[in-house]
Amino acid sequence: MPVPSILFPADPLNPRRPDPHFAWEARILRELGGEHHLVDHDALLAGQAEEAIRRVPRGIGPLWYRGWMLPSARYAEFTAALTARGGNPLTSAPGYAAAHELPGWYSVFEGATPSSVWIPSDGSAAPGPEELAAAVARLGGSGPAIVKDYVKSRKHEWLEACYVPELADLAAVGRVVGRFVELQGEFLAGGVVLRRYEEFERAAGEAGCTDGAPDCTGGGSDGADGRAVEARVWWLDGRPIMVGPHPDDPRQQVEPDLTGVPALVRRLGCRFVTTDLASRADGSGWRVVEVGDGQVSDLPRGIDAAGLLTSLITA
Ligand SMILES: Nc1ncnc2c1ncn2[C@@H]1O[C@H](COP(=O)(O)OP(=O)(O)OP(=O)(O)O)[C@@H](O)[C@H]1O
Ligand SMILES: [Mg+2]
């Protein structure tokens, strides 16, 4: 059976080398005897998928990707171009969208993840007051919440564009959502998501933080103090192949309780995904904060990735 190769983004300054962010993964892969090829991320983003994959040999067979996030539509073009060249992307375009975008995975993880509602939007204008009021009502109408799009939050602008202290204050919801949409601009992915805020265990040193901010300054600090402690669990074919820290806090050791999660991951039906897990502050258990496509989930640099990469190339 042919062995999967891995595609990495090329260094924009030196297209024959992997992008510096992924070079260490590519090096480990080589040491393991794996094969990698390079793709042009900027061309993928520009909708020029055939151009982007011109260095991938024809008839290459099974393929994983490890690279920067792509919008689901760009990923679909990427896989179509690879298939036309004789490649066999092991994550299909629908599979990528299901793991990458919250509305794709939410129904499977409902109950294990904070309650969420969403309003589709192309980002050209923020949702109007009536749409927001209806969404707030669907979410229960009161209590704290967070705002994000189908893929990303603006957690570093917590008070301005992420955290809503009280959903019943519709004017405040409108302000935070409006600022979020403005800051995301053309990069808004899919639409606006509102999620009920849950109190998670924080990293040591945040005592006295009362506004729920992952960093207590609320002013864009990237400090780890106070942010929910999360574990990133990497899954292949429904089995956890690595449990590591979230890339925001790579030194944090976290041992999540995975009870019940494998069944959800299997039900999602995507071969290679990540789940970020946080423990509720009241000790009532672990929650799935986010699901992601494993191909575009960030891997903290320097972590022992040999097992993960071995699993991928022997999949
Ligand atoms: N429902 C919630 N309740 C409490 N805190 C939350 C909730 N959702 C998100 N957070 C906090 O905000 C942070 C960012 O949220 P999330 O992970 O969904 O966004 P992101 O921008 O996609 O982050 P990532 O860097 O993991 O891709 C989380 O790490 C967590 O600390
Ligand atoms: Mg996250």
Side-chain angles (χ1 to χ4, degrees), residues 221-239:
S221 152
D222 195 23
D225 276 2
R227 183 164 300 138
V229 176
E230 288 177 42
R232 177 159 288 183
V233 185
W234 300 72
W235 304 84
L236 185 67
D237 295 327
R239 284 189 299 275

Side-chain angles (χ1 to χ4, degrees), residues 69 114 146 148 151-155 158 162 195-200 214 227-228 230 232 246 248 276 289-290:
M69 286 183 180
I146 72 120
K148 61 181 294 183
V151 176
K152 275 287 182 184
S153 70
R154 297 195 71 95
K155 61 192 171 191
W158 185 255
C162 190
R195 316 196 73 193
R196 292 196 73 85
Y197 177 83
E198 296 183 6
E199 202 66 59
F200 296 127
R227 183 164 300 138
E230 288 177 42
R232 177 159 288 183
H246 187 280
D248 284 352
D276 291 341
V289 180
E290 222 189 347

Side-chain angles (χ1 to χ4, degrees), residues 166-209:
E166 176 50 61
L167 284 169
D169 182 351
L170 290 175
V173 176
R175 273 197 304 279
V176 175
V177 169
R179 186 66 179 137
F180 173 76
V181 171
E182 182 186 345
L183 289 168
Q184 290 297 76
E186 60 175 309
F187 299 108
L188 184 100
V192 172
V193 177
L194 294 175
R195 316 196 73 193
R196 292 196 73 85
Y197 177 83
E198 296 183 6
E199 202 66 59
F200 296 127
E201 271 180 32
R202 311 270 183 86
E206 54 71 53
C209 183

